[in-house]
Amino acid sequence: QVQLVESGGGLVQAGGSLRLSCVASGRHMFSFSSYAMGWFRQAPGKEREFVAALARSGDSTYDTDSAKGRFTISKDNAKNTLYLQMNSLKPEDTGVYSCAAVQTAWYVPPKKTVNEYDYWGQGTQVTVSS
């Protein structure tokens, strides 16, 4: 069992930046480096959608329309923490941002769909005002 706790959300004006964090923990022998990670967001009245993902190898992928060029996903295995740096925020970036984890082999590419992840955090609210 893996627990994920997000933080770093808040209210920001359009054009501003936020850095989200996701701290992972688990039972004995838990190894954060064994997991592929992802960020998803859910806007009011909409389904959860993919934002960014990071494979064990370090390969990353982003939702082209919404995140690429503005967001950066990264992780610190020593701190068991996943990050999402969000710059040039827009009102349409508003939503609850959740991190997700799944244990994979090293060579597996980043995962972009909700059903591919086994563990989820509760989410952190991001609100971007115009």
Side-chain angles (χ1 to χ4, degrees), residues 43-67:
K46 295 187 177 181
E47 293 187 352
R48 184 176 283 173
E49 62 179 7
F50 170 74
V51 176
L54 188 63
R56 286 187 60 193
S57 64
D59 288 344
S60 60
T61 188
Y62 299 87
D63 176 77
T64 303
D65 291 339
S66 66

Side-chain angles (χ1 to χ4, degrees), residues 10 12 15-18 28 38 42 52 57 60 78-79 85-86 100 103 108 112 114-116 123 125:
V12 63
S17 298
L18 285 174
H28 60 85
Q42 188 167 21
S57 64
S60 60
K79 296 182 178 180
Q85 177 67 44
M86 304 188 294
Q103 198 165 18
V108 174
K112 300 176 63 174
V114 170
N115 292 338
E116 293 180 287
Q125 176 70 46

Side-chain angles (χ1 to χ4, degrees), residues 5 7 10 12 14 23 32 52 64 68 71 102 111 119 125-126 130:
V5 179
S7 63
V12 63
V23 178
F32 185 57
T64 303
K68 194 170 185 178
F71 294 0
V102 60
K111 296 182 176 295
Y119 304 101
Q125 176 70 46
V126 171
S130 57

Side-chain angles (χ1 to χ4, degrees), residues 13-114:
Q13 288 189 331
S17 298
L18 285 174
R19 188 176 80 155
L20 306 184
S21 298
C22 168
V23 178
S25 62
R27 293 184 175 180
H28 60 85
M29 302 299 290
F30 171 73
S31 176
F32 185 57
S33 62
S34 299
Y35 291 80
M37 305 294 295
W39 285 101
F40 291 76
R41 72 182 176 204
Q42 188 167 21
K46 295 187 177 181
E47 293 187 352
R48 184 176 283 173
E49 62 179 7
F50 170 74
V51 176
L54 188 63
R56 286 187 60 193
S57 64
D59 288 344
S60 60
T61 188
Y62 299 87
D63 176 77
T64 303
D65 291 339
S66 66
K68 194 170 185 178
R70 299 188 298 125
F71 294 0
T72 303
I73 188 172
S74 62
K75 67 187 293 194
D76 185 335
N77 286 330
K79 296 182 178 180
N80 288 357
T81 303
L82 176 75
Y83 301 101
L84 184 68
Q85 177 67 44
M86 304 188 294
N87 300 326
S88 303
L89 283 163
K90 306 174 182 179
E92 50 264 43
D93 294 321
T94 293
V96 176
Y97 284 70
S98 300
C99 63
V102 60
Q103 198 165 18
T104 73
W106 175 261
Y107 51 82
V108 174
K111 296 182 176 295
K112 300 176 63 174
T113 64
V114 170

